[in-house]
């Protein structure tokens, strides 16, 4: 990550303060919404394969649950911090509100690097995380999901531990489960597909056809992969994909002017979303430094890796051709970079909207799990498209009417809804 003093929670607060000023919110409302309502930090002891015991740091933050039970991912990352978790939880509150689903904002994580952990060690971390916080989680309280470096398997271990503690089958406890154990069809693709549904809508706004556009994508994991796949199906061309290389501890950008072949690229990508360099060279890719993804001569940029990737340091390096930035990752752009995007009149699809497909489909999964009745994949993806497109239309119309930047418009609608729910409950 670039930007030495970057603090995502501070960034989330700056974004909120801007809207609080516009809405002229009173001090108590600001104080309430600038911070999470509840935070948990805990230690998870794990018996390692070599017999030693190692202690892992775990977090869960519940930012706001006025509109419904908390919802949010659990990330496994060596650089995870409480401030990242706070920021993600806060963003989740606004995300659920802007797409109008009856859920609040939560997030969690563990400081660890799954690259260096055996399957058994990861299972123990998952079970330990649940044991520490099971009293404050549940289908009607707070529902976790996968995020960076966690998968359906991690969710199943967490579910199994929770059900063992409660002595009940409660599949609505967690989402992102494998379909065989109460997951939803379409969940795997949902976030990446949702990003592309909104790129399709943004292209209509700009009077462009997908065939006239090229995209550069940072990240080729849970979100990046289906985004690349669907964008290509729509007729667009993806000319570069960047990802992290664990061995070299740096990122690379894989470029192919004629367009990446999705299936072939997927075939040389590991479960963490890292592409094998030597095999990519064999497939005719040009190997560039990771930061090159942002400088490509494309119409669409899709940051789908981590937060803090488009900053004042690199935003000016964007090609003049860029018309759309679709924030597939959470918080990929700093407020300084936002100013440049707004000045250059680039169409921003803010993270609150762009990657909401994940939480919308998680919500569908929760509904199906709680009913114990499951929908067909077409039904899930059809409902997802309708929900995302209508939220997008609402934000675009509002932004046009108020002559607002897209991020501000999305935030504005979300904050109004959350404040209203807090007031209706008599909290504020
Ligand atoms: P993932 O772990 O599956 O994939 C991450 C990808 O980013 C990998 O290809 C990895 O190599 C790459 N990457 C990591 N660090 C990089 C760097 N410094 N430079 C270039 N590439 C780098 O994670 P994911 O689930 O795809 O999540 C990606 C982003 O989307 C995160 O911001 C996450 O919070 C957000 N998000 C995920 C979901 C979801 O459903 N998984 C939903 C909403 C938002």
């Amino acid at each position: 990550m670039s930007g030495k003093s970057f603090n995502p929670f501070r960034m989330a607060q700056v974004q909120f303060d801007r809207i609080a000023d516009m809405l002229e919110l009173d001090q108590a409302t600001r104080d309430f919404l600038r911070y999470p309502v509840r935070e948990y930090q805990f230690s998870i002891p794990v018996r390692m394969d070599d017999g030693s015991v190692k202690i892992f740091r775990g977090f869960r933050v519940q930012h706001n649950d006025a509109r419904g039970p908390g919802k949010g991912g659990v990330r496994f990352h060596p650089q995870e911090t409480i401030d990242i978790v706070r920021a993600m939880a806060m963003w989740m509150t606004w995300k659920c509100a802007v797409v109008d689903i009856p859920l609040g904002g939560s997030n969690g994580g563990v400081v660890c690097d799954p690259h260096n952990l055996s399957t058994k060690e990861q299972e123990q971390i998952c079970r330990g995380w649940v044991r520490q916080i099971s009293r404050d989680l549940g289908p009607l309280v707070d529902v976790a999901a996968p995020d960076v470096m966690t998968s359906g398997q991690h969710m199943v271990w967490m579910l199994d531990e929770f059900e063992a503690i409660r002595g009940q089958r409660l599949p609505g406890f967690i989402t992102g489960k494998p379909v065989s154990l109460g997951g939803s069809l379409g969940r795997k693709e949902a976030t990446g597909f949702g990003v592309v549904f909104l790129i399709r809508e943004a292209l209509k706004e700009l009077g462009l056809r997908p065939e006239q556009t090229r995209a550069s994508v940072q990240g080729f994991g849970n979100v990046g992969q289906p985004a690349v796949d669907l964008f290509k199906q729509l007729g667009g061309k993806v000319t570069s994909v960047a990802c992290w290389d664990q061995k070299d501890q740096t990122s690379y950008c894989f470029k192919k002017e004629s367009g990446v072949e999705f299936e072939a690229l997927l075939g040389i990508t590991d479960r963490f979303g890292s592409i094998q360099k030597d095999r990519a060279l064999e497939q005719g890719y040009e190997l560039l430094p990771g930061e090159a993804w942002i400088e490509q001569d494309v119409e669409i940029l899709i940051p789908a890796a981590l937060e803090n990737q488009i900053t004042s340091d690199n935003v000016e390096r964007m090609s003049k051709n860029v018309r759309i930035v679709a924030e597939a990752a959470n918080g990929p752009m700093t407020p300084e970079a936002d100013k440049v995007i707004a000045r250059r009149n680039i169409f921003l699809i803010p993270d609150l909207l762009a990657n909401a497909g994940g939480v919308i489909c998680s919500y569908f999964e929760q509904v199906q799990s709680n009913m114990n009745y499951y929908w067909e994949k077409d039904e899930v993806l059809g409902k997802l498209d309708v929900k995302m497109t209508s939220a997008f239309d609402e934000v675009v119309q509002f932004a046009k009417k108020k002559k607002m930047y897209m991020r501000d418009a999305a935030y504005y609608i979300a904050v109004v809804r959350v404040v209203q729910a807090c007031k209706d409950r008599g909290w504020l």
Side-chain angles (χ1 to χ4, degrees):
M1 270 188 255
S2 55
K4 287 177 205 85
S5 59
F6 173 71
N7 181 324
F9 183 46
R10 180 76 199 117
M11 176 170 132
Q13 288 185 319
V14 168
Q15 289 171 340
F16 167 74
D17 289 344
R18 193 176 148 77
I19 307 303
D21 288 345
M22 284 184 198
L23 282 164
E24 297 179 4
L25 294 181
D26 60 69
Q27 196 56 46
T29 305
R30 285 168 194 249
D31 291 347
F32 190 61
L33 293 174
R34 287 185 98 238
Y35 292 93
V37 282
R38 282 176 292 276
E39 299 188 355
Y40 306 87
Q41 299 192 45
F42 42 88
S43 298
I44 306 169
V46 168
R47 172 84 53 195
M48 306 299 281
D49 291 353
D50 66 5
S52 66
V53 174
K54 202 168 163 197
I55 309 299
F56 292 88
R57 199 82 191 124
F59 310 110
R60 187 71 178 172
V61 168
Q62 297 165 348
H63 173 258
N64 188 283
D65 55 4
R67 287 174 45 88
K71 186 84 196 77
V74 186
R75 179 180 291 194
F76 283 3
H77 200 277
Q79 268 100 45
E80 183 75 325
T81 65
I82 185 69
D83 276 343
I84 294 178
V85 181
R86 287 174 174 141
M88 296 286 164
M90 193 161 166
W91 286 327
M92 199 60 158
T93 301
W94 313 135
K95 195 179 300 180
C96 293
V98 78
V99 296
D100 206 11
I101 53 177
L103 298 172
S106 291
N107 194 259
V110 178
V111 185
C112 69
D113 190 347
H115 290 99
N116 309 326
L117 294 164
S118 71
T119 305
K120 204 167 137 232
E121 289 163 347
Q122 291 184 51
E123 177 178 346
Q124 285 189 73
I125 293 177
C126 289
R127 292 184 184 278
W129 189 85
V130 169
R131 276 201 298 277
Q132 292 300 333
I133 195 179
S134 66
R135 282 181 301 268
D136 301 292
L137 295 177
L140 303 177
V141 182
D142 181 5
V143 180
D147 196 83
V148 174
M149 287 202 270
T150 51
S151 66
Q153 177 61 73
H154 297 95
M155 300 305 108
V156 171
W157 288 322
M158 289 182 177
L159 174 67
D160 187 66
E161 190 66 26
F162 186 75
E163 290 182 335
I165 293 168
R166 294 289 168 101
Q168 289 172 306
R169 286 284 171 261
L170 294 161
F173 160 73
I174 211 156
T175 62
K177 304 179 291 291
V179 173
S180 57
L181 275 173
S184 175
L185 292 166
R187 174 63 186 89
K188 226 171 89 198
E189 301 89 343
T191 311
F193 275 20
V195 173
V196 178
F197 292 156
L198 298 195
I199 290 175
R200 180 195 65 205
E201 297 305 306
L203 287 172
K204 284 187 207 158
E205 285 290 321
L206 297 173
L208 288 169
R209 281 181 294 111
E211 303 79 38
Q212 297 169 302
T213 62
R214 296 157 295 178
S216 174
V217 184
Q218 187 199 35
F220 196 57
N222 294 323
V223 181
Q225 289 171 12
V228 168
D229 186 18
L230 190 62
F231 183 68
K232 287 201 67 202
Q233 286 182 39
L234 221 60
K237 196 195 276 184
V238 175
T239 52
S240 63
V241 172
C243 65
W244 182 252
D245 188 290
Q246 180 65 12
K247 196 161 142 264
D248 296 357
Q249 285 292 300
T250 187
S251 57
Y252 292 106
C253 178
F254 297 84
K255 178 174 177 179
K256 199 181 248 191
E257 207 66 71
S258 59
V260 310
E261 287 108 26
F262 174 68
E263 294 293 344
L265 195 60
L266 194 62
I268 57 169
T269 303
D270 71 13
R271 68 197 158 98
F272 297 108
S274 297
I275 299 167
Q276 293 173 41
K277 292 197 297 290
D278 47 345
R279 304 278 307 275
L281 289 169
E282 280 165 27
Q283 287 188 13
Y285 285 89
E286 214 180 307
L287 190 62
L288 304 173
E291 307 81 63
W293 79 279
I294 201 171
E295 300 163 2
Q296 298 306 304
D297 235 349
V298 292
E299 288 68 37
I300 302 171
L301 288 176
I302 309 178
L306 290 171
E307 56 284 340
N308 194 34
Q309 297 302 306
I310 305 178
T311 68
S312 52
D313 294 344
N314 63 9
V315 66
E316 299 285 4
R317 301 215 297 269
M318 274 185 189
S319 154
K320 296 273 174 290
N321 286 323
V322 173
R323 304 290 305 279
I324 296 173
V325 175
E327 293 185 322
N330 284 312
M333 198 180 320
T334 62
E336 296 76 39
D338 258 333
K339 288 181 194 145
V340 178
I341 299 293
R343 171 164 51 75
R344 282 180 53 180
N345 212 12
I346 291 172
F347 195 110
L348 174 79
I349 311 176
D351 51 2
L352 295 187
L353 274 178
N355 67 35
V359 69
I360 294 172
C361 201
S362 276
Y363 164 58
F364 293 161
E365 179 176 335
Q366 223 186 319
V367 169
Q368 294 171 79
S369 287
N370 291 339
M371 288 194 301
N372 211 5
Y373 175 77
Y374 292 86
W375 310 335
E376 297 302 324
K377 186 170 179 178
D378 283 354
E379 190 178 353
V380 175
L381 293 176
K383 280 183 160 66
L384 176 68
D385 197 350
V386 169
K387 197 85 187 129
M388 292 213 59
T389 306
S390 54
F392 176 84
D393 283 345
E394 199 176 355
V395 175
V396 170
Q397 295 317 321
F398 190 75
K400 280 185 189 164
K401 196 167 122 206
K402 301 277 183 189
K403 298 199 175 4
M404 257 186 200
Y405 184 48
M406 278 289 281
R407 188 186 313 286
D408 290 344
Y411 253 92
Y412 195 101
I413 292 172
V415 173
V416 165
R417 285 183 181 153
V418 175
V419 169
Q420 191 58 48
C422 294
K423 284 193 193 300
D424 289 347
R425 286 177 179 277
W427 292 355
L428 294 169

